[in-house]
């Protein structure tokens, strides 16, 4: 089999031209006499890679010049742990709106160091809807309001930025960053692991508004201090150079394809194709998420007969459609259709789903 259509939730499919380019320039990176993996992060070649990646990301996401852009290790989960230490005074609470698995993990990451106020939680309804903002129980003196813009496992996505109360809004955009424009005037911090929409695993992104960066927060090691990372240009220690380089290639590819507005259009088309195949299947395939908050990136669904799922996955793989197994927390099937998934891949999946239903329905 050549390259399949890969619906994995993350690490996820990378754009084919990026894989090709990385392969071509791997042994001797632009005449350096060594691969990009082997160059010092402080040498001129890599400094250039890093600066170019940051410039491209700033232009791609229209990040205001005064915001810090950090390339960090530790994944999105580490950022979830660090936000309390960096942005809340000791004893100060923060508000969390939980709309699925990752929102709950974000709470767990800070519970040991701060009083957490879960302002809303959709667990009672099975994580299939977003409680209206009018029902959120916000605290008076919250350090920030944290939410998950797209829940990767449950397939629940905010259709637009939630209203922030007095506290700065911190959004986990791990699984939908770069799929629509972001309004930084309404966000205190945006973070994301790269391994879905921006590049490989092993590197994550944090964009932080200057007033948040200036907060004193709680006693912490320099390694846990965003300000220290910002001052050091994300090179407080050895950064994941290859991952940074690869993410940079993805940023260039996204710009060349037409940028975030184009990916927003593509995402809308791909998601509509897949959800209409599910909804039009006469109950053979089921997605229970409220239509207004269905994710454009991660589409979880179930077969009416659970016993058919292994056969579905096996036959899909044989047809060149891989990575469709649902997360272990939820089971079922999940198709992740990030920026690197072409519409042709979604069409191939929809066609396969139709044929499978004809065979077993
Ligand atoms: N938040 C969201 C929305 C995610 O999808 C994930 C990973 N699937 C995480 C956080 C955790 O990311 P990481 O594995 O990079 O720590």
């Amino acid at each position: 089999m050549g390259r399949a259509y890969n619906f994995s939730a993350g690490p996820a499919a990378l754009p084919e031209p990026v894989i090709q380019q990385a392969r071509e320039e791997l042994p001797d990176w632009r005449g350096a006499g060594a691969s990009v993996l082997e160059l010092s992060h402080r040498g001129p070649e890599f400094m250039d890679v890093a600066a170019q990646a940051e410039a491209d990301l700033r232009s791609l996401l229209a990040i205001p010049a005064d915001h810090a852009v950090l390339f960090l290790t530790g994944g999105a989960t580490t950022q979830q742990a660090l936000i309390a230490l960096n942005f809340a005074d000791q004893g100060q609470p923060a508000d969390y709106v939980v709309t699925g698995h990752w929102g709950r993990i974000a709470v767990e990451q800070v519970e040991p160091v701060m009083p957490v106020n879960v302002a809303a939680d959709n667990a009672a309804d099975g994580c299939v809807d977003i409680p209206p903002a009018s029902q959120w129980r916000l605290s008076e003196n919250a350090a920030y309001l944290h939410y998950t813009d797209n829940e990767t496992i449950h397939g629940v996505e905010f259709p637009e930025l939630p209203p922030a109360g007095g506290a700065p809004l911190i959004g986990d955009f791990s699984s939908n960053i770069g799929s629509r424009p972001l309004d930084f005037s309404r966000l205190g911090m945006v973070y994301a692991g790269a391994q879905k929409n921006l590049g490989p695993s092993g590197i994550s992104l944090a964009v932080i508004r200057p007033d948040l960066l200036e907060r004193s927060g709680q006693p912490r090691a320099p390694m846990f201090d965003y300000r220290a990372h910002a001052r050091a240009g994300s090179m407080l220690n050895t950064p994941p150079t290859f991952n940074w380089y690869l993410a940079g290639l993805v940023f260039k590819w996204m710009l060349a394809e037409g940028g975030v507005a184009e990916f927003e259009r593509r995402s809308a088309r791909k998601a509509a194709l897949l959800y209409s195949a599910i909804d039009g299947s006469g109950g053979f395939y089921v997605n229970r998420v409220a239509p207004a908050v269905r994710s454009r990136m991660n589409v979880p669904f179930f077969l009416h007969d659970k016993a058919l799922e292994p056969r579905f996955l096996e036959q899909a793989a044989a047809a060149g459609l891989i990575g469709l197994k649902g997360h272990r927390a939820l089971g079922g099937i999940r198709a992740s259709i990030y920026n690197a998934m072409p519409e042709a891949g979604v069409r191939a999946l929809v066609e396969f789903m139709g044929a499978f239903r004809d065979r077993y329905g």
Side-chain angles (χ1 to χ4, degrees):
M1 186 157 90
R3 277 178 66 79
Y5 287 124
N6 178 6
F7 295 89
S8 169
L14 286 162
E16 181 100 36
V18 166
I19 298 286
Q20 289 302 342
Q21 186 179 346
R23 173 186 166 148
E24 276 157 28
E25 57 190 21
L26 188 63
D28 176 13
W29 193 82
R30 297 182 193 171
S35 78
V36 68
L37 288 93
E38 302 163 291
L39 299 171
S40 163
H41 58 294
R42 307 221 183 261
E45 295 95 345
F46 189 78
M47 290 299 273
D48 190 45
V49 170
Q52 190 62 53
E54 179 176 331
D56 286 341
L57 185 73
R58 282 184 181 275
S59 113
L60 189 63
L61 297 180
I63 299 171
D66 64 353
H67 283 43
V69 172
L70 307 181
F71 293 90
L72 302 163
T73 51
T77 312
T78 299
Q79 315 322 314
Q80 292 176 338
L82 293 184
I83 54 183
L85 295 179
N86 279 268
F87 304 136
D89 291 336
Q90 269 175 315
Q92 189 182 15
D95 291 336
Y96 279 73
V97 171
V98 176
T99 53
H101 177 91
W102 294 109
R104 205 154 297 116
I105 298 287
V107 169
E108 282 173 18
Q109 289 300 327
V110 297
E111 264 174 339
V113 297
M114 74 169 0
V116 176
N117 170 46
V118 176
D121 190 341
N122 68 352
D125 73 7
C127 304
V128 293
D129 208 346
I130 295 179
S134 58
Q135 292 174 11
W136 297 356
R137 297 170 302 274
L138 302 176
S139 33
E140 292 262 296
N141 58 336
Y144 55 80
L145 167 61
H146 179 280
Y147 82 108
T148 313
D149 205 65
N150 182 62
E151 280 287 351
T152 318
I153 295 175
H154 291 92
V156 170
E157 184 177 25
F158 277 78
E160 54 197 36
L161 292 184
L169 196 57
I170 297 187
D172 178 354
F173 285 79
S174 291
S175 47
N176 66 350
I177 193 158
S179 68
R180 64 180 173 210
L182 279 175
D183 180 358
F184 284 97
S185 73
R186 295 180 50 200
L187 287 155
M189 172 179 175
V190 165
Y191 69 89
Q195 64 269 26
K196 297 147 196 313
N197 250 348
L198 295 183
S201 62
I203 190 159
S204 39
L205 171 73
V207 180
I208 308 174
R209 211 170 63 194
D211 61 301
L212 276 180
L213 210 56
E214 288 312 314
R215 288 193 179 180
S216 46
Q218 306 184 28
R220 58 199 182 276
M223 260 317 268
F224 298 161
D225 182 2
Y226 283 133
R227 205 167 20 202
H229 283 285
R231 286 195 187 122
S234 302
M235 294 198 192
L236 204 51
N237 68 332
T238 317
T241 52
F242 188 62
N243 315 54
W244 198 332
Y245 151 80
L246 259 178
L249 297 188
V250 175
F251 304 157
K252 281 238 182 287
W253 173 79
M254 287 173 70
L255 285 167
E257 290 291 303
V260 166
E262 173 61 16
F263 287 106
E264 184 179 33
R265 280 190 285 277
R266 291 184 193 178
S267 297
R269 271 204 308 271
K270 289 186 291 181
L273 271 172
L274 195 43
Y275 284 113
S276 65
I278 293 167
D279 294 341
S281 70
F284 189 85
Y285 302 111
V286 180
N287 169 287
R288 298 199 190 94
V289 178
V293 301
R294 281 174 164 180
S295 170
R296 302 160 307 129
M297 299 285 116
N298 309 97
V299 182
F301 60 92
F302 299 89
L303 273 66
H304 77 293
D305 176 4
K306 196 174 158 38
L308 283 174
E309 279 171 13
R311 223 174 299 175
F312 179 95
L313 292 168
E314 198 181 299
Q315 293 183 19
L321 309 165
I322 64 171
L324 284 162
K325 193 169 167 42
H327 189 276
R328 62 190 188 285
L330 202 60
I333 311 293
R334 173 174 50 169
S336 296
I337 50 175
Y338 302 122
N339 287 343
M341 172 59 65
E343 190 172 315
V346 177
R347 289 192 183 280
L349 173 60
V350 164
E351 204 172 300
F352 169 80
M353 287 165 66
F356 189 85
R357 178 170 73 113
D358 289 346
R359 212 168 308 136
Y360 298 102

